[in-house]
Amino acid sequence: MKAWTPRIWTGLAAVSGLLAVAFGAFAAHGMSQPKPVEWLHTGSQYQMAHALAVFAAFALHRAGIKGMGAAAAFFLAGTVLFSGSLYAMALGAPRILGAVTPLGGLSLMIGWAVLAWRAFGWPADDQA
């Protein structure tokens, strides 16, 4: 399978950021029930942070740092599962969907773990 192009990665990260803003605005202006507002707010915060993390991880991937493509993929998958499940519940999906949310959180944590693991494995030639 051919690797995703920079255009695709950048587009997905940008769409993720756009959706984070949209759902955050919907939480602030389109919902009145406290729990759905909380879910939308939490989902949008996590989604925005990880949209930026996708940009950063993919930039590192393009710079030749191994494992950064995997980190970006975990961030995207985690966002879909974590934020997506919260958004779905806020919009009326059954609360059982909340069982998916921790899987998304786990995927986000794996993305950060991969990033840290690879960062600590970089050559130390930049130190004086």
Side-chain angles (χ1 to χ4, degrees):
M1 181 174 140
K2 185 178 175 186
W4 285 4
T5 66
R7 185 175 178 181
I8 291 171
W9 280 105
T10 302
L12 288 172
V15 167
S16 186
L18 178 138
L19 289 172
V21 172
F23 279 109
F26 187 55
H29 305 290
M31 298 291 281
S32 59
Q33 296 175 323
K35 197 61 175 173
V37 166
E38 180 184 334
W39 288 331
L40 289 170
H41 184 71
T42 299
S44 67
Q45 284 185 316
Y46 275 75
Q47 185 167 10
M48 181 56 76
H50 290 90
L52 297 173
V54 170
F55 275 123
F58 190 70
L60 291 169
H61 169 73
R62 295 288 291 169
I65 308 299
K66 293 181 186 213
M68 294 300 108
F74 277 113
F75 291 146
L76 279 175
T79 297
V80 168
L81 295 172
F82 183 86
S83 297
S85 62
L86 291 175
Y87 298 156
M89 288 189 308
L91 297 173
R95 283 195 171 192
I96 190 70
L97 195 57
V100 173
T101 310
L103 298 175
L106 180 61
S107 182
L108 296 173
M109 289 188 286
I110 291 170
W112 287 110
V114 168
L115 194 98
W117 171 61
R118 295 306 303 164
F120 288 122
W122 289 345
D125 61 349
D126 61 343
Q127 298 177 359

